[in-house]
Amino acid sequence: MLTSAINSSLSAMHAFSTGVHGSAYNLANLNTAGFNPVSVHYSSGPRSSHGLETGVRPVVSRTVPPMAETTRVFQPSRTDLAREMVNLAVNQNAFDANAQVIRASDELLGGLVDVFV
């Protein structure tokens, strides 16, 4: 039970760090003409042989199909600064919450080991 909580939290932390990377990439290209930002969504992982979900996985996609090279130079970046800042805060808080689950699981596991040893 504790190991599945730790595994789920680890996969979620990996997924949310991908979200932070996507937002950082979009913010780094805020002033790039014709830039199409990436979008990171989250999905449940595939089911294991025991019927349990194996965690959270990120799905990265472009929000808008790329434009032709000739028209892209004259278009501004499609990155929304406010949306990306909110995404950064949400991903950071989700990452921290999953780290707290791992800390709590570690404390519980340590207490169990102390009882039996």
Side-chain angles (χ1 to χ4, degrees):
M1 180 72 169
L2 288 176
T3 56
S4 66
I6 291 172
N7 286 336
S8 293
S9 292
L10 281 174
S11 70
M13 289 172 72
H14 173 71
F16 292 123
S17 69
T18 302
V20 169
H21 287 263
S23 291
Y25 176 70
N26 292 341
L27 288 171
N29 288 290
L30 183 66
N31 292 323
T32 302
F35 177 72
N36 291 319
V38 296
S39 178
V40 180
H41 303 283
Y42 305 101
S43 160
S44 296
R47 295 196 179 272
S48 68
S49 60
H50 304 296
L52 300 172
E53 289 188 1
T54 58
V56 179
R57 62 184 172 86
V59 178
V60 181
S61 62
R62 291 279 180 183
T63 55
V64 179
M67 294 181 274
E69 188 65 35
T70 55
T71 60
R72 182 172 26 167
V73 178
F74 302 108
Q75 298 292 325
S77 173
R78 291 190 173 117
T79 302
D80 182 7
L81 178 62
R83 182 183 64 228
E84 296 304 332
M85 295 305 290
V86 168
N87 285 344
L88 277 173
V90 166
N91 286 318
Q92 178 183 358
N93 289 334
F95 186 92
D96 291 342
N98 282 287
Q100 185 62 35
V101 168
I102 291 175
R103 279 192 286 279
S105 297
D106 180 49
E107 289 176 17
L108 277 168
L109 199 55
L112 285 173
V113 167
D114 289 343
V115 167
F116 290 110
V117 175

